Amino acid sequence: MLNYFKIFSRTCGFKPHQNSLAQCFRALSSSSSKYSQGAPVTPVPEITEKYPHLKTHKDIYDFSLENPSEFWGEIAKSYLQWMEPFHTVSNCDLPNGKISWFEGGKLNASVNCVDRHMRSIPDQTALIWERDEPGTEQRITYRQLYDQVGRLASALLQHGVRRGDRVAIYMPTSPAAAVAMLACARIGAVHSVVFAGFSAQALASRVLDAGAETIITSDQAVRGGKVIELKRIVDDAVRECPSVKRVFVATRTGAEVPRSGIDIPMEEAMEAAPAECEPAAMDAEDFLYMLYTSGSTGKPKGLVHSVAGYLLYCMFTQKQVFDLRPGDVFGCVADIGWITGHSHVVYGPLATGGTAIMFESTPVYPDPGRYWEMVQRLRPTHFYGAPTALRLLLKHGDSWVTKYDRSSLRVLGCVGEPLNHEAWQWYNDVVGDKRCSVIDTWWQTETGGVCLAPRPSAEGAEIRPGMPMRPMYGIEPVLLDEKNNEISGEDVMGALCLKRPWPGMARTIYGSHQRYVETYLKPMPGYYFTGDGAHRHPGGYYQITGRMDDVINVTGHRLGTAEVEDVMDEYEPVAETAVVGFPHELKGEGLYAFIIMKNDVTVTDQEVKDTLKGLIRNNIAGYAVPDHMLIVPGLPKTRSGKIMRRILRKIAANQPDDLGDISTLQDPSIVEQIVQLHRQQVQ
Ligand code: PRX
């Protein structure tokens, strides 16, 4: 097998101790590189056979930008199984938020993910469920998957679920959850998977926002040896959701759990239903699913993905970015509650007829060797995880990795946040034994699939640590300055935007198309604004510098600071709060809450903090609980009353001597008081 990557230190003089992002930028920007040409790593025969003059990766990339209809039209015809062909590849008006691909086409996502493979490779394993208890994995073939999806789809119909209905799925990462997603897709219901770590409140608000009448859940979940009372949480949520008419309950542990009149035991319902269920002929632009993510306001937004465009882009990136080959076993350890789980545990691997691992546990259960023991046992060719887990594991030492056989691995991917240099090197050297491709992928819930990654690329093209580097076919990244002008050249930084629509982009925010247009398309008219900043290095390689809005990234989970503030502000003794992120060695970013109390409160500071922690846990989730809470006499505000978060971020990052100009503040003296309290209580 070819070893594509080059050791970074040799190509640009990077020293192992230079592991901060700033150092990384400097080292990278002073390096020079050559974009090597040659045959693409993963061929695109759908294009090169029809257009034989396209020889190199660059030829195909340029073609994808210049002739998007020809490019995506060919890919769509070849990758997807259509019930009726499309007549128009692309009909988009990006500035106004009208995105439409493959008009006239009809298809069904479950047919594409299951039926066609059930016919050609019925006995191939589709899903390997790596259950929480090590060594108890279960395999499910395409034939079995077909049977289960058909039965649940029939059961949903029998119980009154209809095309277009929204169905909330609140389950652990498991084949039952994948079956639930695909069964919805089969009948044209729109699934909304809610991460099973979210609280009852968070679930209820998502169910209400979607107007879901149906929830699919499990009796319990098991994660890291701990039991989570999923059904109980659902019951609490349902009390606040009069719209909910039925709750399908799958069996995970078989424990006695509370029952209610609207419960439907899922396995019994499936047993009683026919395995054959006619797939709904969906329009290309019909909604496949919605998935909530945090934005800069307090209200999470339900991003909607289309049937054809999403499935195509997800499938195409699954193959191209990860160089997927027949017989590969794709080991993505993401939870199905996030976009990575949708695209690379369920839809991507299944649509490509692959074998996917579904990982139910945690990286450290029962010990920090869990991932690699699993790799030895299940022999995946790919491992796709999150930088936060890698940073945690590298602290535990190499022996947890090296004692297991990892020779099956060919590609190591990561996603969700910047992979710092130290973690990249460890991933490459220790986990990959310096013989795997390390693929740092950049994308978002909104993009549906990977937009920047080292692959696809020309054969032999270098891979550099700490950056996703290259755009995917059809993706044209640009950097804009404060005046919305495109920044040209190399070694420049700006707001990362994508210049043209692509099939996988989210179509709307459920219930608020205006919010969609205002969030993504209006800030920089004519472009899709990602919310991230980026650095374009020599060679045209992109590195993400972080979010430009009030969204932070805690252990790879996206969180709006306003969401946490809204919960804390509800507590009677609290007058005002401001939450900011700060660099955190393991989590990527940590949360720091500054709290002002009302004048006449009698509760102690500790009581306030404990209550707030409980409220955040109950209203959002455990990962949203701030690492630090500081009760302060005031906040740094401009004369117009706006909180200067820049100052709070500096204090939270332990850089109080570098606050810049504070003379425009209403009361500059408040800053010194906050710094003093921070030094006494936190630093
Ligand atoms: O800030 C970027 C960061 O994660 C955000 C998207 O989060 P979410 O919608 O939850 O999707 C995560 C999984 C696709 C982005 O706006 N992000 C994602 N990948 C990277 C990244 N930051 C740096 N490097 C990455 N590879």
Side-chain angles (χ1 to χ4, degrees):
M1 201 205 55
L2 277 172
N3 188 356
Y4 294 123
F5 58 78
K6 292 179 182 157
I7 299 302
F8 186 64
S9 54
R10 265 185 243 143
T11 58
C12 68
F14 202 96
K15 304 281 186 318
H17 64 271
Q18 293 179 317
N19 60 6
S20 80
L21 209 56
Q23 284 170 319
C24 191
F25 290 151
R26 280 196 293 277
L28 289 164
S29 55
S30 62
S31 70
S32 66
S33 70
K34 226 169 141 233
Y35 193 78
S36 58
Q37 296 296 323
V41 167
T42 307
V44 198
E46 302 77 19
I47 300 299
T48 48
E49 278 166 19
K50 180 137 191 222
Y51 303 94
H53 64 287
L54 303 175
K55 304 256 184 263
T56 66
H57 168 259
K58 186 168 183 318
D59 291 345
I60 305 173
Y61 175 69
D62 290 348
F63 180 83
S64 74
L65 297 188
E66 284 154 19
N67 305 280
S69 289
E70 285 79 357
F71 183 85
W72 290 115
E74 290 305 323
I75 301 290
K77 272 190 257 167
S78 148
Y79 271 62
L80 295 176
Q81 185 174 315
W82 295 89
M83 293 165 166
E84 274 178 40
F86 51 89
H87 53 66
T88 307
V89 175
S90 170
N91 182 10
C92 301
D93 171 7
L94 189 64
N96 292 308
K98 181 181 177 294
I99 315 294
S100 181
W101 289 84
F102 312 116
E103 282 176 4
K106 289 195 189 294
L107 75 170
N108 186 285
S110 81
V111 170
N112 277 277
C113 290
V114 187
D115 299 31
R116 55 176 169 167
H117 311 308
M118 192 278 285
R119 277 179 218 116
S120 57
I121 42 170
D123 298 320
Q124 183 189 299
T125 301
L127 298 169
I128 307 176
W129 185 21
E130 172 66 359
R131 286 151 43 98
D132 193 53
E133 307 85 356
T136 65
E137 73 271 12
Q138 291 178 1
R139 288 181 160 76
I140 152 163
T141 63
Y142 275 102
R143 194 198 307 274
Q144 290 166 325
L145 191 59
Y146 175 84
D147 181 83
Q148 292 186 21
V149 170
R151 284 181 188 281
L152 183 57
S154 303
L156 291 174
L157 287 173
Q158 282 176 348
H159 286 274
V161 183
R162 293 287 169 259
R163 178 175 173 153
D165 286 358
R166 278 78 54 215
V167 174
I169 299 176
Y170 187 69
M171 299 175 100
T173 298
S174 56
V179 166
M181 292 161 79
L182 293 163
C184 288
R186 193 159 194 92
I187 64 167
V190 180
H191 63 71
S192 166
V193 180
V194 178
F195 172 53
F198 275 129
S199 65
Q201 278 297 327
L203 171 62
S205 69
R206 285 158 177 75
V207 167
L208 287 173
D209 184 73
E213 295 182 348
T214 308
I215 300 179
I216 308 180
T217 189
S218 304
D219 47 8
Q220 296 179 316
V222 193
R223 208 160 171 263
K226 294 196 191 88
V227 169
I228 304 146
E229 298 288 347
L230 283 199
K231 176 59 171 45
R232 240 177 246 278
I233 297 172
V234 168
D235 286 350
D236 288 347
V238 166
R239 271 189 274 284
E240 292 178 37
C241 304
S243 62
V244 173
K245 293 189 177 148
R246 54 192 85 81
V247 177
F248 285 83
V249 187
T251 306
R252 170 57 180 92
T253 62
E256 271 302 310
V257 293
R259 297 202 166 271
S260 85
I262 57 171
D263 289 359
I264 302 164
M266 189 164 111
E267 290 81 4
E268 281 175 33
M270 287 168 72
E271 198 68 26
E276 294 299 325
C277 178
E278 190 62 29
M282 305 299 289
D283 287 330
E285 279 297 317
D286 275 339
F287 295 174
L288 176 59
Y289 69 81
M290 51 198 284
L291 183 59
Y292 284 86
T293 189
S294 296
S296 43
T297 70
K299 195 171 176 298
K301 42 200 179 186
L303 285 153
V304 176
H305 281 290
S306 66
V307 179
Y310 168 79
L311 194 63
L312 179 72
Y313 193 70
C314 164
M315 218 181 140
F316 188 56
T317 49
Q318 176 79 40
K319 198 161 166 197
Q320 289 287 334
V321 170
F322 298 101
D323 180 25
L324 206 73
R325 301 174 193 171
D328 281 354
V329 175
F330 199 78
C332 171
V333 291
D335 192 284
I336 44 125
W338 310 114
I339 187 72
T340 311
H342 282 61
S343 295
H344 295 293
V345 176
V346 179
Y347 286 111
L350 295 180
T352 47
T355 299
I357 292 176
M358 304 190 86
F359 183 72
E360 192 186 33
S361 193
T362 81
V364 290
Y365 180 76
D367 59 47
R370 176 60 188 265
Y371 280 163
W372 323 117
E373 182 275 323
M374 173 185 82
V375 167
Q376 173 174 287
R377 192 162 27 86
L378 305 183
R379 300 204 56 75
T381 43
H382 295 69
F383 183 87
Y384 191 31
T388 185
L390 298 176
R391 285 194 296 270
L392 174 72
L393 295 179
L394 79 82
K395 296 249 167 301
H396 286 276
D398 297 356
S399 61
W400 288 110
V401 185
T402 52
K403 70 176 171 182
Y404 297 109
D405 175 9
R406 288 151 287 113
S407 58
S408 62
L409 292 172
R410 193 175 82 237
V411 179
L412 301 174
C414 73
V415 61
E417 26 163 352
L419 181 66
N420 56 308
H421 184 257
E422 189 191 8
W424 189 97
Q425 209 74 55
W426 183 79
Y427 206 21
N428 181 56
D429 296 359
V430 180
V431 176
D433 277 332
K434 301 188 184 175
R435 49 159 205 90
C436 299
S437 301
V438 175
I439 305 290
D440 178 354
T441 62
W442 175 88
W443 54 298
Q444 310 177 297
T445 306
E446 293 84 345
T447 68
V450 176
C451 292
L452 298 174
R455 300 287 186 255
S457 63
E459 187 173 347
E462 64 182 332
I463 293 182
R464 292 188 179 183
M467 54 166 102
M469 299 183 76
R470 302 182 176 93
M472 179 64 198
Y473 296 121
I475 297 290
E476 188 178 8
V478 289
L479 300 181
L480 298 196
D481 64 18
E482 307 87 72
K483 295 195 176 124
N484 293 353
N485 294 317
E486 278 188 34
I487 306 170
S488 58
E490 295 180 338
D491 198 10
V492 288
M493 292 204 212
L496 177 65
C497 295
L498 305 179
K499 202 168 171 175
R500 57 185 76 236
W502 66 101
M505 70 188 293
R507 298 300 193 258
T508 189
I509 291 174
Y510 190 80
S512 180
H513 194 62
Q514 198 186 339
R515 189 176 171 201
Y516 171 83
V517 173
E518 277 164 13
T519 309
Y520 305 110
L521 307 174
K522 281 273 179 297
M524 290 156 196
Y527 302 87
Y528 165 80
F529 174 46
T530 66
D532 283 343
H535 187 154
R536 186 164 56 230
H537 290 284
Y541 301 152
Y542 286 87
Q543 177 173 36
I544 307 302
T545 52
R547 296 289 304 188
M548 298 179 75
D549 52 15
D550 289 323
V551 173
I552 57 173
N553 205 323
V554 184
T555 57
H557 299 327
R558 202 162 127 176
L559 189 65
T561 52
E563 266 176 80
V564 185
E565 288 165 8
D566 282 1
V567 172
M568 295 201 292
D569 292 347
E570 289 287 301
Y571 181 42
E572 177 54 30
V574 165
E576 197 179 358
T577 59
V579 172
V580 295
F582 66 96
H584 189 288
E585 204 187 355
L586 292 180
K587 299 183 189 181
E589 279 184 285
L591 280 176
Y592 195 133
F594 296 87
I595 301 155
I596 308 178
M597 306 297 298
K598 289 181 183 153
N599 283 336
D600 48 357
V601 294
T602 50
V603 277
T604 65
D605 286 4
Q606 196 52 50
E607 280 167 346
V608 170
K609 290 181 190 176
D610 290 345
T611 308
L612 289 176
K613 283 180 189 170
L615 281 173
I616 295 165
R617 205 170 280 122
N618 289 338
N619 280 278
I620 310 176
Y623 71 84
V625 173
D627 300 81
H628 303 302
M629 290 179 160
L630 193 66
I631 295 179
V632 291
L635 290 168
K637 289 192 179 170
T638 60
R639 293 201 177 90
S640 60
K642 197 169 176 314
I643 299 171
M644 269 229 208
R645 286 170 188 273
R646 166 177 74 73
I647 294 175
L648 296 177
R649 280 191 208 106
K650 284 278 181 194
I651 297 172
N654 266 334
Q655 296 169 341
D657 301 325
D658 178 24
L659 296 180
D661 180 17
I662 57 168
S663 62
T664 56
L665 291 178
Q666 210 175 48
D667 173 12
S669 72
I670 199 72
V671 175
E672 190 44 40
Q673 296 177 53
I674 300 175
V675 170
Q676 284 302 335
L677 288 166
H678 168 80
R679 288 207 166 109
Q680 286 159 12
Q681 297 180 31
V682 178
Q683 204 173 16

